[in-house]
mmCIF file of all heavy atoms in Angstrom:
data_model
loop_
_atom_site.group_PDB
_atom_site.id
_atom_site.type_symbol
_atom_site.label_atom_id
_atom_site.label_comp_id
_atom_site.label_asym_id
_atom_site.label_seq_id
_atom_site.Cartn_x
_atom_site.Cartn_y
_atom_site.Cartn_z
ATOM 1 N N ALA H 490 166.691 105.122 94.264
ATOM 2 C CA ALA H 490 167.608 103.977 94.365
ATOM 3 C C ALA H 490 166.929 102.755 94.969
ATOM 4 O O ALA H 490 167.468 102.075 95.840
ATOM 5 C CB ALA H 490 168.828 104.373 95.174
ATOM 6 N N VAL H 491 165.738 102.454 94.507
ATOM 7 C CA VAL H 491 164.948 101.357 95.068
ATOM 8 C C VAL H 491 165.678 100.023 94.925
ATOM 9 O O VAL H 491 165.737 99.220 95.865
ATOM 10 C CB VAL H 491 163.564 101.295 94.382
ATOM 11 C CG1 VAL H 491 162.789 100.083 94.870
ATOM 12 C CG2 VAL H 491 162.786 102.569 94.649
ATOM 13 N N GLU H 492 166.237 99.778 93.762
ATOM 14 C CA GLU H 492 166.875 98.488 93.504
ATOM 15 C C GLU H 492 168.191 98.319 94.255
ATOM 16 O O GLU H 492 168.708 97.204 94.353
ATOM 17 C CB GLU H 492 167.093 98.317 92.005
ATOM 18 C CG GLU H 492 165.793 98.248 91.216
ATOM 19 C CD GLU H 492 166.026 98.130 89.727
ATOM 20 O OE1 GLU H 492 167.207 98.231 89.314
ATOM 21 O OE2 GLU H 492 165.057 97.934 88.973
ATOM 22 N N LYS H 493 168.742 99.402 94.761
ATOM 23 C CA LYS H 493 170.008 99.329 95.473
ATOM 24 C C LYS H 493 169.835 99.218 96.984
ATOM 25 O O LYS H 493 170.825 99.121 97.718
ATOM 26 C CB LYS H 493 170.855 100.569 95.146
ATOM 27 C CG LYS H 493 171.240 100.659 93.667
ATOM 28 C CD LYS H 493 172.088 101.886 93.396
ATOM 29 C CE LYS H 493 172.483 101.961 91.921
ATOM 30 N NZ LYS H 493 173.303 103.153 91.625
ATOM 31 N N VAL H 494 168.595 99.260 97.437
ATOM 32 C CA VAL H 494 168.328 99.222 98.877
ATOM 33 C C VAL H 494 167.647 97.910 99.237
ATOM 34 O O VAL H 494 166.637 97.533 98.630
ATOM 35 C CB VAL H 494 167.435 100.416 99.287
ATOM 36 C CG1 VAL H 494 166.954 100.255 100.716
ATOM 37 C CG2 VAL H 494 168.202 101.716 99.128
ATOM 38 N N ASP H 495 168.201 97.210 100.223
ATOM 39 C CA ASP H 495 167.633 95.968 100.734
ATOM 40 C C ASP H 495 166.974 96.257 102.080
ATOM 41 O O ASP H 495 167.667 96.516 103.079
ATOM 42 C CB ASP H 495 168.720 94.909 100.880
ATOM 43 C CG ASP H 495 168.171 93.564 101.358
ATOM 44 O OD1 ASP H 495 166.948 93.477 101.604
ATOM 45 O OD2 ASP H 495 168.960 92.611 101.479
ATOM 46 N N LEU H 496 165.645 96.232 102.116
ATOM 47 C CA LEU H 496 164.927 96.605 103.340
ATOM 48 C C LEU H 496 165.244 95.695 104.521
ATOM 49 O O LEU H 496 165.088 96.100 105.687
ATOM 50 C CB LEU H 496 163.415 96.591 103.072
ATOM 51 C CG LEU H 496 162.872 97.657 102.113
ATOM 52 C CD1 LEU H 496 161.361 97.501 101.955
ATOM 53 C CD2 LEU H 496 163.201 99.058 102.622
ATOM 54 N N SER H 497 165.644 94.471 104.233
ATOM 55 C CA SER H 497 165.940 93.538 105.337
ATOM 56 C C SER H 497 167.122 93.992 106.185
ATOM 57 O O SER H 497 167.324 93.487 107.287
ATOM 58 C CB SER H 497 166.196 92.140 104.776
ATOM 59 O OG SER H 497 167.353 92.130 103.962
ATOM 60 N N LYS H 498 167.907 94.925 105.702
ATOM 61 C CA LYS H 498 169.018 95.479 106.496
ATOM 62 C C LYS H 498 168.482 96.231 107.701
ATOM 63 O O LYS H 498 169.148 96.316 108.739
ATOM 64 C CB LYS H 498 169.861 96.387 105.608
ATOM 65 C CG LYS H 498 171.027 97.064 106.324
ATOM 66 C CD LYS H 498 171.828 97.918 105.350
ATOM 67 C CE LYS H 498 172.959 98.653 106.079
ATOM 68 N NZ LYS H 498 173.761 99.492 105.148
ATOM 69 N N TRP H 499 167.282 96.770 107.577
ATOM 70 C CA TRP H 499 166.715 97.599 108.639
ATOM 71 C C TRP H 499 165.505 96.974 109.322
ATOM 72 O O TRP H 499 165.248 97.241 110.492
ATOM 73 C CB TRP H 499 166.286 98.958 108.067
ATOM 74 C CG TRP H 499 167.432 99.795 107.603
ATOM 75 C CD1 TRP H 499 168.218 100.629 108.351
ATOM 76 C CD2 TRP H 499 167.924 99.880 106.263
ATOM 77 N NE1 TRP H 499 169.173 101.236 107.572
ATOM 78 C CE2 TRP H 499 169.004 100.785 106.270
ATOM 79 C CE3 TRP H 499 167.552 99.271 105.056
ATOM 80 C CZ2 TRP H 499 169.723 101.091 105.122
ATOM 81 C CZ3 TRP H 499 168.273 99.590 103.916
ATOM 82 C CH2 TRP H 499 169.330 100.480 103.949
ATOM 83 N N PHE H 500 164.752 96.121 108.577
ATOM 84 C CA PHE H 500 163.464 95.680 109.093
ATOM 85 C C PHE H 500 163.319 94.165 109.001
ATOM 86 O O PHE H 500 163.925 93.507 108.142
ATOM 87 C CB PHE H 500 162.322 96.336 108.301
ATOM 88 C CG PHE H 500 162.455 97.825 108.162
ATOM 89 C CD1 PHE H 500 162.708 98.394 106.913
ATOM 90 C CD2 PHE H 500 162.338 98.655 109.267
ATOM 91 C CE1 PHE H 500 162.833 99.765 106.779
ATOM 92 C CE2 PHE H 500 162.459 100.033 109.138
ATOM 93 C CZ PHE H 500 162.713 100.590 107.892
ATOM 94 N N SER H 501 162.445 93.626 109.849
ATOM 95 C CA SER H 501 162.109 92.207 109.788
ATOM 96 C C SER H 501 161.124 91.964 108.636
ATOM 97 O O SER H 501 160.534 92.905 108.096
ATOM 98 C CB SER H 501 161.482 91.754 111.105
ATOM 99 O OG SER H 501 160.204 92.356 111.277
ATOM 100 N N ASP H 502 160.919 90.678 108.325
ATOM 101 C CA ASP H 502 159.970 90.352 107.256
ATOM 102 C C ASP H 502 158.571 90.839 107.599
ATOM 103 O O ASP H 502 157.842 91.337 106.723
ATOM 104 C CB ASP H 502 159.954 88.835 107.014
ATOM 105 C CG ASP H 502 161.232 88.343 106.358
ATOM 106 O OD1 ASP H 502 162.006 89.180 105.849
ATOM 107 O OD2 ASP H 502 161.458 87.105 106.364
ATOM 108 N N ASP H 503 158.172 90.703 108.857
ATOM 109 C CA ASP H 503 156.846 91.163 109.274
ATOM 110 C C ASP H 503 156.721 92.679 109.148
ATOM 111 O O ASP H 503 155.672 93.188 108.731
ATOM 112 C CB ASP H 503 156.558 90.738 110.710
ATOM 113 C CG ASP H 503 156.307 89.230 110.838
ATOM 114 O OD1 ASP H 503 156.035 88.596 109.798
ATOM 115 O OD2 ASP H 503 156.382 88.710 111.960
ATOM 116 N N GLN H 504 157.776 93.385 109.510
ATOM 117 C CA GLN H 504 157.737 94.840 109.397
ATOM 118 C C GLN H 504 157.645 95.278 107.936
ATOM 119 O O GLN H 504 156.903 96.199 107.591
ATOM 120 C CB GLN H 504 158.977 95.446 110.062
ATOM 121 C CG GLN H 504 158.979 95.373 111.581
ATOM 122 C CD GLN H 504 160.267 95.896 112.176
ATOM 123 O OE1 GLN H 504 161.368 95.546 111.704
ATOM 124 N NE2 GLN H 504 160.150 96.727 113.200
ATOM 125 N N ILE H 505 158.405 94.604 107.080
ATOM 126 C CA ILE H 505 158.366 94.934 105.648
ATOM 127 C C ILE H 505 156.967 94.670 105.094
ATOM 128 O O ILE H 505 156.403 95.499 104.365
ATOM 129 C CB ILE H 505 159.414 94.121 104.869
ATOM 130 C CG1 ILE H 505 160.832 94.538 105.307
ATOM 131 C CG2 ILE H 505 159.242 94.302 103.366
ATOM 132 C CD1 ILE H 505 161.926 93.652 104.754
#
Side-chain angles (χ1 to χ4, degrees):
V491 175
E492 295 178 353
K493 297 181 179 180
V494 170
D495 182 358
L496 293 180
S497 64
K498 178 179 177 180
W499 293 275
F500 310 112
S501 68
D502 289 346
D503 288 343
Q504 288 176 314
I505 294 171

